[in-house]
Amino acid sequence: MSVAKRARALRAEIEKHNHQYYVLDAPLVSDAEYDTLFRELQALEAEHPELVSSDSPTQRVGAPPLAEFASVVHSTPMLSLNNAFADEEVLVFDRRVREGLATEGDVDYAAEPKFDGLAVSLSYEQGILLRGATRGDGTTGEDVTANLRTLHSIPLHLQGSGWPDRFEVRGEVLFWRSDFERLNTQQRERGEKEFVNARNAAAGSLRQLDSRITARRPLRFFAYGVGTVTGAALPATHSGLLDKLAEWGFPVAPERRRVSGLTGLLAYFAEIGRRRKSLPYDIDGVVYKVDDLAAQERLGFVSRAPRFALAHKFPADEAITELLDISIQVGRTGALTPVARLAPVFVGGVTVTNATLHNEDEIRRKDVRIGDMVVVRRAGDVIPEVARVLPEKRPQAARQFIMPTSCPVCGSQVARNPDEAVARCSGGLYCPAQRKQALLHFASRRALDIEGLGDKLVEQLVDSAVVRTPADLYRLGLLALANLERVAEKSASNLLAAIERSKQTTLARFIYALGIRNVGEATARDLARHFASLDRLLAADEAQLLQVTDVGPIVAQSIRQFCNEPHNLEVIEQLRAAGVVWSEGEGRAPAGGAVVGKVFVLTGTLPSLTRDTAKQLIEAAGGKVSSAVSQRTDFVVAGAEAGSKLEKARLLAIRVVDEGQLLTLLNLEQPAP
Ligand code: IVH
């Protein structure tokens, strides 16, 4: 047998055993036999480096460290799911589905566990794993290909046949509980820090710049769906799709099941709830999806979540502890939040020492007193809260909490709007607490993204009166920073560089960064898209604001209030004067700036856009259109009868998108069929 042939045979053999072991959980050979095969292949490849291929099982050992992760724009966004805790919410979901599909009868659903890990997207071309990315903010994730290649349960090349030319498989990366426990034992033995829970450990392991570290962590993968698909028809149902994915070599949950109607959903939930503790991995609920894919498409999406799917979550984890004290936190908008200081308690996988009590009314309603024994609840990633008190355990000395009438931070009067539950400090940006929060928000990752400007630093900058407004950040010098406690020169200059970088931003991020009450990231994006200019937004009256998608009277009023405050306009002017810029009209780009500065080449006939319109849309979003494909091209937009440009793009491995994907990149709706 030739060496090449032997290498091929070994690879096939090893991949088969990988699949048996990691996907089917049914090993055929002992570890020693497997190791012998593996070492023979390694030796062959060492002797004949020309035989090494990127999809060889020997390549799962990790690659040299990266300086940083590249970002990946998801051509189909990675959305989230609506949550339900109560049966009634499932009933409402099922009713809406039936209304949406105009059917009276029971709907067929695909039900599966909700894995408690991290979402990733795997891109395959011609059956070969090309790229893997994290979910990120759903629009843009991180390229963690080298890390994902080290997971034995992720096929480097697909089995069977009939897979699409290009497609993305979506699923979850997690640790099995036993692997996680072993990992923590190891960490302990090596004197290294233990992980608080399997999910954190999975996140930490996947986001290693050095994939050789990831390779030593036994992460697993489960597929639960697909993203963009080109070049083949898929089965007509979600359950059929998962069966296909299994055929092609992906692990899919063995607990998946087709169920019928509301009763089927609730029975499945109860059954998985009973089996939860005996499953080898952590789940935090189950997911229901309308099985018929055409019906899914008809139902579509509401903002960030599909109408055709629902996450039915298990009740949150609870634990009992002592409430030592209640303190007050002042938030960005001045809201005073009472926070319970607790005797440390392990709940929902982490040690909790603080829990929110929401507001004064909640404290009264639950009759929480200082010194009480309380039930603390933590669901998934949400902030822990005090669920209820155990009155039978109340000590004699327990005392009532009284909401302060003046702000504990700045002394300003505390006001409570009679029809609002929250009490607020009236100090505005005079209040250092509000100023600190406003600065942290301004610098946060989804806003102007100033890396290195954290709590401690903001605390010092504000307390020493070096920084009062976001605009002051752009006046900071090395000297001012070096005078602060515990700031090394290196981190000071890194921070200055990050501040400098933040000057190049997008309109949506800038609007979000302003911290206007009730204007979150999605609204900021809508506003940027609608007005495409900050001045137009600032000048808009209520009626004009109400024209923006999803902007109602409350949001419109918050925006008007913000713009009527001369101080706010002053800060905006100072920010502009300091050099903070975005390309106006670039409002149409998603917050990740998917298109800004990118070079596009158009080829072939697009189904609905003319070349001119496509060009205008790209340019309006801050992209460039060029006529020839070169190394500098970022995207080739290909339509029918695309010719040599498309071939050249393939040759240079440039991303090819169709009209639909272009519109997604531009954050525009697809035209109605
Ligand atoms: S389907 C369109 N199925 O839950 C939504 N998601 O809240 C596609 N997750 O980020 C998601 N198990 O990471 C789906 N069986 C499952 C899942 C699952 C866990 C996670 C996923 C997603 C989050 C959505």
Side-chain angles (χ1 to χ4, degrees):
M1 195 187 309
S2 75
V3 183
K5 211 162 164 197
R6 178 67 188 149
R8 258 199 313 277
L10 281 168
R11 272 179 207 143
E13 181 81 7
I14 292 169
E15 284 298 353
K16 183 179 83 192
H17 292 312
N18 265 340
H19 186 248
Q20 287 292 137
Y21 185 95
Y22 289 101
V23 180
L24 304 180
D25 206 11
L28 295 175
V29 291
S30 69
D31 287 2
E33 284 168 276
Y34 177 86
D35 285 345
T36 311
L37 293 170
F38 197 84
R39 275 199 225 103
E40 185 185 345
L41 179 60
Q42 269 180 325
L44 267 187
E45 288 181 347
E47 242 174 85
H48 303 274
E50 74 282 0
L51 292 180
V52 183
S53 65
S54 68
D55 61 346
S56 170
T58 56
Q59 303 306 297
R60 292 191 188 270
V61 291
L66 304 170
E68 60 174 356
F69 295 118
S71 41
V72 174
V73 176
H74 300 299
S75 52
T76 304
M78 294 183 77
L79 302 168
S80 45
L81 294 169
N82 286 321
N83 285 333
F85 285 94
D87 290 359
E88 293 75 62
E89 294 171 279
V90 181
L91 181 142
V92 172
F93 162 73
D94 174 62
R95 189 171 63 214
R96 296 223 170 108
V97 165
R98 281 183 291 115
E99 281 167 7
L101 298 175
T103 45
E104 298 282 309
D106 280 349
V107 173
D108 282 339
Y109 292 100
E112 56 203 81
K114 184 166 193 302
F115 310 105
D116 197 8
L118 291 98
V120 297
S121 183
L122 307 170
S123 310
Y124 287 84
E125 274 191 42
Q126 314 298 339
I128 305 281
L129 174 65
L130 268 201
R131 194 166 65 178
T134 61
R135 174 175 187 274
D137 62 4
T139 313
T140 313
E142 285 174 326
D143 184 334
V144 287
T145 312
N147 303 27
L148 288 169
R149 299 178 75 85
T150 70
L151 271 64
H152 291 270
S153 49
I154 292 181
L156 299 178
H157 55 242
L158 302 182
Q159 304 176 1
S161 58
W163 15 266
D165 291 346
R166 287 195 300 151
F167 74 128
E168 294 167 356
V169 174
R170 302 250 163 113
E172 200 90 346
V173 166
L174 42 70
F175 276 117
W176 282 23
R177 229 175 286 125
S178 56
D179 289 331
F180 169 67
E181 275 151 26
R182 215 167 308 132
L183 173 66
N184 255 356
T185 312
Q186 247 174 40
Q187 294 286 106
R188 200 162 46 236
E189 284 166 2
R190 292 196 190 131
E192 282 169 44
K193 214 172 151 234
E194 286 180 56
F195 297 100
V196 282
N197 59 44
R199 189 173 188 282
N200 286 6
S205 303
L206 186 61
R207 296 193 61 252
Q208 290 286 337
L209 288 168
D210 186 344
S211 53
R212 291 170 300 197
I213 298 178
T214 313
R216 293 199 292 269
R217 308 262 173 94
L219 288 166
R220 302 266 189 160
F221 174 76
F222 274 114
Y224 56 61
V226 293
T228 307
V229 176
T230 26
L234 289 177
T237 59
H238 182 76
S239 48
L241 173 67
L242 292 189
D243 291 344
K244 270 278 173 251
L245 290 175
E247 253 178 68
W248 296 334
F250 294 96
V252 288
E255 297 79 19
R256 71 188 186 284
R257 175 107 40 84
R258 255 179 76 169
V259 299
S260 177
L262 178 65
T263 23
L265 295 178
L266 296 178
Y268 182 79
F269 181 73
E271 184 205 318
I272 297 294
R274 279 193 300 275
R275 290 171 56 189
R276 181 181 185 189
K277 288 274 180 288
S278 59
L279 294 178
Y281 46 84
D282 287 337
I283 62 174
D284 54 354
V286 299
V287 181
Y288 309 135
K289 298 166 190 171
V290 169
D291 199 31
D292 182 352
L293 297 181
Q296 285 194 0
E297 197 151 325
R298 284 213 300 287
L299 286 163
F301 300 83
V302 217
S303 77
R304 307 284 304 145
R307 275 200 201 88
F308 56 79
L310 181 75
H312 191 178
K313 301 277 245 344
F314 296 130
D317 268 336
E318 295 185 343
I320 295 169
T321 189
E322 187 188 349
L323 191 152
L324 304 172
D325 200 1
I326 295 178
S327 57
I328 292 289
Q329 232 166 43
V330 183
R332 180 162 61 82
T333 57
L336 266 52
T337 307
V339 177
R341 306 290 172 201
L342 306 167
V345 60
F346 196 71
V347 45
V350 296
T351 301
V352 168
T353 51
N354 298 314
T356 180
L357 287 160
H358 301 290
N359 54 56
E360 197 178 4
D361 291 352
E362 280 283 298
I363 295 183
R364 297 282 165 265
R365 196 173 61 75
K366 294 176 178 163
D367 188 24
V368 181
R369 306 206 190 157
I370 299 166
D372 269 339
M373 293 305 287
V374 295
V375 175
V376 178
R377 181 164 58 195
R378 182 176 176 276
D381 270 345
V382 304
I383 303 168
E385 59 169 0
V386 171
R388 58 185 181 275
V389 302
L390 302 175
E392 67 280 9
K393 296 211 168 141
R394 173 165 291 162
Q396 287 276 310
R399 30 187 194 96
Q400 292 261 7
F401 165 79
I402 298 160
M403 197 72 176
T405 51
S406 59
C407 171
V409 177
C410 73
S412 299
Q413 209 190 346
V414 169
R416 186 172 157 186
N417 195 329
D419 45 55
E420 255 194 352
V422 272
R424 285 179 203 279
C425 157
S426 57
L429 289 178
Y430 166 77
C431 176
Q434 292 186 50
R435 226 179 299 146
K436 285 172 193 168
Q437 294 302 323
L439 284 164
L440 283 171
H441 173 78
F442 182 84
S444 63
R445 202 160 62 80
R446 309 261 164 100
L448 284 228
D449 192 16
I450 305 180
E451 207 184 317
L453 192 67
D455 301 11
K456 294 271 155 14
L457 202 53
V458 165
E459 184 105 29
Q460 290 191 59
L461 288 169
V462 171
D463 290 345
S464 59
V466 174
V467 170
R468 296 179 56 85
T469 72
D472 294 339
L473 293 172
Y474 296 92
R475 287 192 272 271
L476 279 177
L478 212 46
L479 205 62
L481 285 175
N483 278 335
L484 301 174
E485 267 170 62
R486 277 181 293 149
V487 180
E489 192 172 323
K490 175 89 180 118
S491 47
S493 58
N494 283 347
L495 176 63
L496 290 179
I499 292 175
E500 191 57 36
R501 271 199 306 276
S502 74
K503 288 182 179 173
Q504 303 283 338
T505 189
T506 67
L507 181 55
R509 277 174 181 264
F510 188 80
I511 295 171
Y512 174 64
L514 293 174
I516 304 170
R517 209 147 125 200
N518 301 312
V519 176
E521 215 187 343
T523 309
R525 258 197 303 251
D526 289 340
L527 290 167
R529 195 177 314 163
H530 186 91
F531 291 105
S533 129
L534 184 66
D535 290 321
R536 274 201 289 274
L537 167 64
L538 296 176
D541 60 24
E542 189 155 340
Q544 287 167 323
L545 288 167
L546 287 172
Q547 313 235 303
V548 182
T549 345
D550 284 340
V551 168
I554 294 181
V555 177
Q557 201 195 359
S558 300
I559 299 172
R560 284 314 314 152
Q561 267 172 7
F562 181 92
C563 298
N564 283 337
E565 173 61 64
H567 170 84
N568 290 332
L569 301 179
E570 216 172 279
V571 172
I572 291 176
E573 267 332 297
Q574 288 171 0
L575 286 167
R576 282 170 147 171
V580 176
V581 286
W582 54 88
S583 47
E584 297 253 326
E586 144 282 289
R588 285 180 180 278
V595 171
V596 180
K598 293 284 185 313
V599 180
F600 287 75
V601 172
L602 302 164
T603 177
T605 315
L606 299 177
S608 64
L609 298 173
T610 64
R611 283 255 178 122
D612 267 351
T613 317
K615 181 161 185 272
Q616 279 169 16
L617 288 172
I618 292 168
E619 287 172 352
K624 297 189 193 72
V625 176
S626 141
S627 57
V629 178
S630 75
Q631 297 281 8
R632 300 223 321 277
T633 311
D634 294 295
F635 294 96
V636 168
V637 185
E641 278 145 49
S644 62
K645 288 182 189 170
L646 181 58
E647 264 161 46
K648 181 138 186 224
R650 295 238 162 92
L651 218 59
L652 295 175
I654 288 162
R655 236 180 100 193
V656 178
V657 296
D658 60 19
E659 181 181 285
Q661 292 167 317
L662 172 67
L663 292 172
T664 311
L665 280 172
L666 295 169
N667 217 1
L668 295 171
E669 302 296 328
Q670 299 222 17

